[in-house]
Amino acid sequence: MQSTWSHLRPYLILGLAAVATAATGCAEVPTAIFRPVSPGAGAIQSLSVYLLVLAGLVLLLVETLLLLAVFRFRNRPEEMAVQTHGNLRLETGWTVATAIVIFGILGLTVRTMGEASSVPEAALPQSSAWPGDTLVLRVVGVQWWWRFEYPELGIVTANEVHVPVDRPIKLQLESADVIHSFWAPRLAGKTDMIPGQVNYSAFLATEPGVYEGECAEFCGVEHARMGFRVFVDSAADFSAWVRSQQSPASTPTSEEQRAGQEAFQRACSSCHAVAGTAAAGTLGPDLTHFGSRTTLAANTLSNTPENLARWLRDPQGVKPGNNMPDLRLDQATLEQLVAYLESLK
Ligand code: CUA
């Protein structure tokens, strides 16, 4: 008994931890699938709960029958067990019953797949400032960050994206290299991003807030640090954000920032773009409004001057395997670059 318990204990603890995590679904947990803020994510949650209840009932039934059989037909020395060979009625029964359950689940799953990647007309709130007006968001997965583009608004950004509340967002999902998967658990289901193919999905956020997203398809050494943030804004906040993103990058206002801009042109501009300057690289994230972002290195660090300095000094130490080379910057250049980049609001 003692040894059985010690064998089972780790699994039990793991199971309890998983249940506790799923139940609390705190704000910092990116996989808070049980607190949807969009009709599509809500459909996925309903299906999950339904399947959990169904599986629980099947478990209860099977275990009850098993215990009953163990008890009723236990070994009695004075009795000889009845020898049987097959039971057509029983076998047909459990085959048909299982098939009914499986096909039921299949039907529900297919229906949810449709609901999770579209915004039904009925879900559009009457009060929406944009009734039925869909905003297209192009998302490109890159090892290991996200390029976000609004083709209709002429905005390019990276790793942090803003969308208006109560307006349908159409996602156009692509990849620049390997297969990634777009997943913002509280907003939309996972959709693969496949090289050479465009996949579509959609969502409608019903509550302003900040929602975490991550890559859900193993895509190489930094797959775990390929995160993003979705800011769901009120109509007014979103318009303000669009205006600030459409404006050109801030021009340096101090000697240090000016020196930083020159260093940026030399060391960084072959990979990074800052709109309105000569820097037009496309291999890495667009940094036109870098200073307005809350995180850096694809949701790996919060965007503070200290963290940016740490990142520039040793990108491979912060995120080993990423494609940003060690630039061997001296301390003065490093500080100038930090001053310049953080000024790009
Ligand atoms: Cu991209 Cu995992």
Side-chain angles (χ1 to χ4, degrees), residues 141-146 177-181 193 214-220 222-224 226:
V142 192
Q143 285 176 321
W144 289 276
W145 58 279
W146 308 81
D177 37 49
V178 300
I179 301 178
H180 303 275
S181 179
M193 312 165 87
E214 56 186 70
C215 179
E217 181 75 46
F218 181 72
C219 54
E222 282 304 337
H223 158 70
M226 185 170 165

Short mmCIF file of all heavy atoms in Angstrom, two decimals, residues 141-146 177-181 193 214-220 222-224 226, ligand 1:
data_model
loop_
_atom_site.label_atom_id
_atom_site.label_comp_id
_atom_site.label_asym_id
_atom_site.label_seq_id
_atom_site.Cartn_x
_atom_site.Cartn_y
_atom_site.Cartn_z
N GLY A 141 4.16 35.12 -38.90
CA GLY A 141 5.01 34.48 -37.89
C GLY A 141 6.44 34.40 -38.42
O GLY A 141 6.66 34.00 -39.55
N VAL A 142 7.38 34.83 -37.60
CA VAL A 142 8.79 34.79 -37.97
C VAL A 142 9.53 34.17 -36.78
O VAL A 142 9.16 34.41 -35.63
CB VAL A 142 9.35 36.21 -38.23
CG1 VAL A 142 10.72 36.14 -38.90
CG2 VAL A 142 8.39 37.03 -39.07
N GLN A 143 10.59 33.40 -37.06
CA GLN A 143 11.40 32.86 -35.95
C GLN A 143 12.08 34.03 -35.23
O GLN A 143 12.95 34.66 -35.83
CB GLN A 143 12.44 31.89 -36.47
CG GLN A 143 11.80 30.53 -36.87
CD GLN A 143 12.83 29.61 -37.49
OE1 GLN A 143 13.68 30.04 -38.26
NE2 GLN A 143 12.75 28.34 -37.18
N TRP A 144 11.78 34.49 -34.04
CA TRP A 144 10.72 34.09 -33.17
C TRP A 144 10.03 35.34 -32.70
O TRP A 144 10.24 35.78 -31.57
CB TRP A 144 11.30 33.27 -32.01
CG TRP A 144 11.74 31.92 -32.49
CD1 TRP A 144 10.93 30.81 -32.64
CD2 TRP A 144 13.05 31.52 -32.92
NE1 TRP A 144 11.67 29.76 -33.14
CE2 TRP A 144 12.98 30.18 -33.32
CE3 TRP A 144 14.26 32.18 -33.02
CZ2 TRP A 144 14.08 29.47 -33.79
CZ3 TRP A 144 15.36 31.47 -33.50
CH2 TRP A 144 15.24 30.13 -33.87
N TRP A 145 9.27 35.92 -33.59
CA TRP A 145 8.51 37.14 -33.27
C TRP A 145 7.35 37.24 -34.25
O TRP A 145 7.17 36.39 -35.12
CB TRP A 145 9.42 38.38 -33.31
CG TRP A 145 10.11 38.60 -34.63
CD1 TRP A 145 11.25 37.95 -35.06
CD2 TRP A 145 9.72 39.47 -35.69
NE1 TRP A 145 11.57 38.39 -36.32
CE2 TRP A 145 10.67 39.33 -36.73
CE3 TRP A 145 8.68 40.38 -35.86
CZ2 TRP A 145 10.58 40.05 -37.92
CZ3 TRP A 145 8.60 41.09 -37.04
CH2 TRP A 145 9.55 40.93 -38.05
N TRP A 146 6.54 38.30 -34.09
CA TRP A 146 5.32 38.46 -34.88
C TRP A 146 5.32 39.80 -35.60
O TRP A 146 5.52 40.84 -34.98
CB TRP A 146 4.09 38.42 -33.97
CG TRP A 146 4.05 37.23 -33.08
CD1 TRP A 146 4.73 37.07 -31.89
CD2 TRP A 146 3.33 36.01 -33.28
NE1 TRP A 146 4.46 35.84 -31.37
CE2 TRP A 146 3.60 35.16 -32.19
CE3 TRP A 146 2.47 35.57 -34.29
CZ2 TRP A 146 3.04 33.89 -32.07
CZ3 TRP A 146 1.91 34.30 -34.17
CH2 TRP A 146 2.21 33.48 -33.07
N ASP A 177 8.86 31.69 -42.46
CA ASP A 177 9.87 30.63 -42.48
C ASP A 177 9.28 29.23 -42.23
O ASP A 177 9.02 28.51 -43.16
CB ASP A 177 10.99 30.94 -41.47
CG ASP A 177 10.47 31.62 -40.20
OD1 ASP A 177 9.51 31.10 -39.63
OD2 ASP A 177 11.04 32.65 -39.80
N VAL A 178 9.02 28.89 -40.98
CA VAL A 178 8.52 27.55 -40.67
C VAL A 178 7.06 27.65 -40.20
O VAL A 178 6.49 28.74 -40.19
CB VAL A 178 9.38 26.88 -39.58
CG1 VAL A 178 10.82 26.75 -40.04
CG2 VAL A 178 9.31 27.67 -38.28
N ILE A 179 6.48 26.54 -39.81
CA ILE A 179 5.09 26.55 -39.35
C ILE A 179 5.01 27.11 -37.93
O ILE A 179 5.70 26.64 -37.03
CB ILE A 179 4.46 25.14 -39.40
CG1 ILE A 179 4.50 24.59 -40.82
CG2 ILE A 179 3.02 25.18 -38.90
CD1 ILE A 179 3.95 23.18 -40.93
N HIS A 180 4.21 28.15 -37.76
CA HIS A 180 3.90 28.69 -36.44
C HIS A 180 2.39 28.52 -36.23
O HIS A 180 1.68 28.09 -37.14
CB HIS A 180 4.25 30.17 -36.35
CG HIS A 180 5.70 30.48 -36.66
ND1 HIS A 180 6.69 30.40 -35.73
CD2 HIS A 180 6.31 30.85 -37.81
CE1 HIS A 180 7.85 30.73 -36.28
NE2 HIS A 180 7.65 31.00 -37.55
N SER A 181 1.92 28.90 -35.06
CA SER A 181 0.48 28.84 -34.83
C SER A 181 0.05 30.02 -33.97
O SER A 181 0.60 30.25 -32.90
CB SER A 181 0.10 27.52 -34.16
OG SER A 181 -1.29 27.48 -33.92
N MET A 193 0.08 28.82 -39.05
CA MET A 193 0.61 29.77 -40.03
C MET A 193 1.63 28.98 -40.84
O MET A 193 2.67 28.58 -40.32
CB MET A 193 1.26 30.94 -39.31
CG MET A 193 0.33 31.48 -38.21
SD MET A 193 1.17 32.56 -37.07
CE MET A 193 1.02 34.11 -37.93
N GLU A 214 0.45 33.45 -27.77
CA GLU A 214 1.71 32.75 -27.94
C GLU A 214 1.67 31.87 -29.18
O GLU A 214 0.59 31.63 -29.74
CB GLU A 214 2.02 31.92 -26.71
CG GLU A 214 0.94 30.94 -26.34
CD GLU A 214 1.26 30.25 -25.01
OE1 GLU A 214 1.21 30.94 -23.96
OE2 GLU A 214 1.57 29.06 -25.03
N CYS A 215 2.84 31.44 -29.58
CA CYS A 215 2.93 30.51 -30.69
C CYS A 215 2.60 29.12 -30.17
O CYS A 215 3.11 28.71 -29.14
CB CYS A 215 4.33 30.55 -31.29
SG CYS A 215 4.52 29.40 -32.66
N ALA A 216 1.72 28.40 -30.88
CA ALA A 216 1.26 27.12 -30.38
C ALA A 216 1.74 25.96 -31.26
O ALA A 216 1.14 24.89 -31.27
CB ALA A 216 -0.26 27.12 -30.28
N GLU A 217 2.79 26.19 -32.01
CA GLU A 217 3.32 25.11 -32.85
C GLU A 217 4.84 25.15 -32.70
O GLU A 217 5.44 26.21 -32.91
CB GLU A 217 2.94 25.35 -34.31
CG GLU A 217 3.41 24.30 -35.29
CD GLU A 217 2.59 23.02 -35.20
OE1 GLU A 217 1.35 23.10 -35.15
OE2 GLU A 217 3.21 21.95 -35.17
N PHE A 218 5.44 24.03 -32.33
CA PHE A 218 6.89 24.06 -32.10
C PHE A 218 7.61 24.51 -33.36
O PHE A 218 7.45 23.93 -34.43
CB PHE A 218 7.41 22.69 -31.66
CG PHE A 218 8.89 22.72 -31.41
CD1 PHE A 218 9.40 23.37 -30.29
CD2 PHE A 218 9.77 22.15 -32.29
CE1 PHE A 218 10.76 23.45 -30.08
CE2 PHE A 218 11.14 22.21 -32.09
CZ PHE A 218 11.64 22.87 -30.97
N CYS A 219 8.41 25.59 -33.23
CA CYS A 219 8.98 26.20 -34.43
C CYS A 219 10.48 26.46 -34.28
O CYS A 219 11.05 27.28 -34.98
CB CYS A 219 8.26 27.51 -34.72
SG CYS A 219 8.25 28.63 -33.31
N GLY A 220 11.12 25.77 -33.36
CA GLY A 220 12.55 25.93 -33.20
C GLY A 220 12.92 26.30 -31.78
O GLY A 220 12.07 26.32 -30.89
N GLU A 222 13.59 28.86 -29.95
CA GLU A 222 12.95 29.89 -29.13
C GLU A 222 11.42 29.90 -29.25
O GLU A 222 10.78 30.92 -29.02
CB GLU A 222 13.53 31.27 -29.45
CG GLU A 222 14.90 31.52 -28.81
CD GLU A 222 14.91 31.34 -27.29
OE1 GLU A 222 13.85 31.44 -26.65
OE2 GLU A 222 16.00 31.09 -26.74
N HIS A 223 10.85 28.76 -29.59
CA HIS A 223 9.39 28.65 -29.68
C HIS A 223 8.71 29.14 -28.40
O HIS A 223 7.69 29.82 -28.44
CB HIS A 223 9.04 27.19 -29.98
CG HIS A 223 7.65 26.80 -29.60
ND1 HIS A 223 6.55 27.27 -30.29
CD2 HIS A 223 7.17 26.02 -28.60
CE1 HIS A 223 5.46 26.75 -29.72
NE2 HIS A 223 5.80 26.02 -28.70
N ALA A 224 9.30 28.80 -27.25
CA ALA A 224 8.67 29.15 -25.96
C ALA A 224 8.69 30.66 -25.71
O ALA A 224 7.93 31.15 -24.90
CB ALA A 224 9.36 28.42 -24.82
N MET A 226 8.06 33.05 -28.02
CA MET A 226 7.46 33.70 -29.17
C MET A 226 6.05 34.12 -28.74
O MET A 226 5.05 33.52 -29.11
CB MET A 226 7.43 32.73 -30.36
CG MET A 226 6.92 33.39 -31.64
SD MET A 226 7.17 32.33 -33.06
CE MET A 226 6.09 33.15 -34.24
CU1 CUA B 1 6.53 30.03 -33.66
CU2 CUA B 1 6.39 28.22 -32.12
#
